[in-house]
């Protein structure tokens, strides 16, 4: 990867470059743990340390990625609000990284958790009525009825968990835990 310097600043020391690279790799590994692409994490880490807006061309040169992959990476980071597109337009779009870890944590995890809640509650709420009908049907065998009741018990426990998780996500989204 290519080292970039901000105009007017002296060349960074090799040790500082190495230390930054260590943190950038840790950011990439952390994002990878939570399902984000490793190279997107590296891009965010690089942008995190830059004190200036960057174009896709700047990022492409640093990451040695194609422009289409770079566009996909930046869209992903924009969606998770880890990167912001600046309003001012020169000839090319410019982007900056969110450097407040509390903010990136809050947005990233509320998005991931909300997706889990939506998927799971959608499936559970769709299945419960039909399972209940099977359990209550006169022609259902006792063994099948017992299995349906066990499944319903587990699913109702799941609903309780996802109701609690939704309250947690709402509080996290509102910033309650960041004091």
């Amino acid at each position: 990867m290519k080292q970039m310097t901000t105009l007017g600043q002296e060349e960074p020391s090799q040790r500082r470059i190495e230390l930054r690279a260590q943190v950038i790799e840790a950011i990439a590994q952390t994002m990878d743990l939570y399902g984000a692409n490793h190279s997107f994490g590296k891009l965010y880490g690089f942008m995190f340390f830059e004190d200036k807006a960057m174009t896709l061309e700047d990022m492409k040169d640093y990451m040695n990625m194609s422009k289409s992959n770079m566009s996909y990476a930046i869209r992903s980071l924009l969606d998770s609000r880890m990167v912001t597109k600046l309003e001012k337009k020169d000839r090319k779009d410019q982007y900056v990284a969110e450097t407040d870890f509390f903010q990136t944590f809050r947005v990233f995890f509320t998005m991931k958790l909300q997706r889990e809640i939506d998927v799971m509650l959608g499936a559970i709420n769709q299945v419960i009525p039909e399972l209940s009908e099977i359990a209550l049907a006169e022609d259902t065998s006792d063994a099948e009825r017992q299995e349906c009741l066990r499944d319903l018990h587990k699913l109702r426990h799941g609903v309780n968990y996802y109701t609690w998780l939704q309250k947690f996500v709402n509080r996290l989204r509102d910033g309650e835990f960041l004091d």
Side-chain angles (χ1 to χ4, degrees):
M1 286 186 226
K2 185 172 155 183
Q3 178 60 37
M4 297 183 67
T5 60
T6 305
L7 291 175
Q9 292 184 347
E10 62 183 66
E11 191 69 28
S13 71
Q14 184 59 37
R15 183 62 184 147
R16 186 163 56 85
I17 292 169
E18 292 167 359
L19 294 170
R20 275 187 177 184
Q22 189 175 344
V23 174
I24 289 169
E25 180 59 29
I27 289 170
Q29 287 177 13
T30 302
M31 288 180 66
D32 190 49
L33 285 172
Y34 297 107
N37 185 300
H38 186 87
S39 61
F40 298 1
K42 279 193 158 187
L43 175 60
Y44 170 75
F46 170 67
M47 293 179 73
F48 175 83
F49 282 111
E50 283 299 305
D51 290 327
K52 64 180 180 101
M54 300 179 70
T55 65
L56 286 175
E57 196 66 33
D58 297 331
M59 294 176 235
K60 181 178 91 61
D61 290 345
Y62 174 77
M63 295 293 294
N64 295 323
M65 291 172 67
S66 70
K67 198 162 189 171
S68 63
N69 283 344
M70 192 54 54
S71 292
Y72 181 67
I74 205 67
R75 272 194 313 274
S76 176
L77 293 172
L78 283 166
D79 289 345
S80 63
R81 297 191 199 136
M82 296 179 80
V83 169
T84 304
K85 183 177 174 180
L86 298 181
E87 293 297 319
K88 67 177 186 167
K89 277 251 191 188
D90 291 331
R91 282 185 18 248
K92 299 178 180 180
D93 291 333
Q94 295 185 349
Y95 306 89
V96 293
E98 173 60 63
T99 57
D100 182 342
F101 280 136
F102 291 110
Q103 176 69 7
T104 56
F105 170 87
R106 187 175 64 82
V107 171
F108 184 81
F109 281 99
T110 56
M111 286 175 48
K112 293 286 187 184
L113 292 172
Q114 189 63 59
R115 173 118 170 90
E116 177 184 350
I117 292 165
D118 294 344
V119 168
M120 289 303 297
L121 276 181
I124 290 170
N125 288 331
Q126 187 174 3
V127 166
I128 284 177
E130 194 169 338
L131 263 179
S132 297
E133 281 183 38
I134 294 169
L136 294 173
E138 287 182 25
D139 61 342
T140 300
S141 70
D142 286 342
E144 181 68 11
R145 185 178 333 284
Q146 290 305 314
E147 287 297 321
C148 286
L149 291 174
R150 272 193 285 281
D151 288 355
L152 283 166
H153 176 74
K154 290 175 184 178
L155 293 175
R156 287 193 178 106
H157 181 73
V159 168
N160 289 339
Y161 166 72
Y162 286 109
T163 300
W164 171 85
L165 188 59
Q166 184 65 68
K167 290 176 187 173
F168 173 79
V169 167
N170 292 344
R171 291 177 69 194
L172 183 60
R173 186 178 293 129
D174 293 342
E176 287 187 36
F177 300 111
L178 303 178
D179 295 331

